[in-house]
Amino acid sequence: MHAIGKRSLLRASAALTAMGVLVCWSVGAETGGAEASSPRLSIIEPADRSVAEGELTAVSIKADDLGIDAIRIAVNGVAMSHIPLEKGRNYYCATGTLSFGPNEIQVSAVKGGKVVESGKVTVFFRSDLSRTYGVSPAGFQKRPFHRKDREAACAACHRMDVAAADIRPQRPEDSLCYQCHSKITAAYSNVHGPAARWDCLACHERQSAPAKYEARTPSRDLCFVCHEEKRGEWAPKKYVHGPTATGKCTICHSPHASNNLSWLKKPSWELCTTCHEDRASGAHVIVGFGSGSHPTRGKPDPTRYGKELSCASCHNPHASDSKSLFINDQQDPYSLCKFCHKV
């Protein structure tokens, strides 16, 4: 190691880090010639060049040398956590929030206020609600954590297999999922029933393989187990909205929690105009009746007391007998207008 020189080693490490390679190295002391190991840092989860389909990601780190003071975690350059090290502890966990597209998760070992070693991984947040990031780039793929080979690193501290207490747990803490995934509900105002009870196994298959705890697909089949009345409501309709027709309820709804009604991933108007951007101005509402535009938000909904005007004021987001998915199966725009504009 001394033959290539400390500066050369630093340059090589910096180059590898820039390429997304986690670098763990040791350098010789400048005096005495004996080698002093620097902290060994490794990112267990998430895997580099992995694909996520939710905004939260668990970050698990192993720090082999307790000579450092703390671990810093940043997502896309924004500090997320500063974790003090504890004597006798090697593994550390945190939860980060992702943005659509590529996310760089940087983990740094800190000693005396200075970064002495760092590593990073890149995670791609793919979403059907993003026109730009709806398809994962080449070289990125889903890399589920709950596989026997990957779980081994955390099994010393965490229970990985289902026990009797996980079947309809009496308290959130009884669920084996809670310790690592508590933030999927903690940060949101509207929590979906199974997630609120931490009845994770109501939706996640404990026998799935090679990755454990996968959710049944398409999500429609899983959702209809509890929401059977919706199947009966939508099945006879002539026209079905795209997400409903594909059976992917989770395009629009979060299966765990949301700050929006009906567990929508975005507020109603923002959700609709993600795909129907050309309808955002409201000009389509009065085409044929005059020029200008019609409000599509920011006003009280005259037909739904206490709710704000949105696309759902006129359109059924799931299915209708109207080609335009008009509410109440109205067939022409004029009859729809009369719901609010009495003549």
Side-chain angles (χ1 to χ4, degrees), residues 37-58:
S37 296
S38 71
R40 295 178 57 196
L41 193 70
S42 55
I43 302 172
I44 300 169
E45 175 71 9
D48 191 29
R49 301 177 70 81
S50 58
V51 174
E53 295 196 335
E55 66 177 352
L56 298 180
T57 184

Side-chain angles (χ1 to χ4, degrees), residues 253-276:
H253 299 274
S254 168
H256 298 118
S258 168
N259 287 326
N260 306 304
L261 292 175
S262 302
W263 311 290
L264 294 177
K265 290 186 173 179
K266 292 183 178 182
S268 177
W269 185 89
E270 293 180 22
L271 185 66
C272 296
T273 55
T274 295
C275 295
H276 304 284

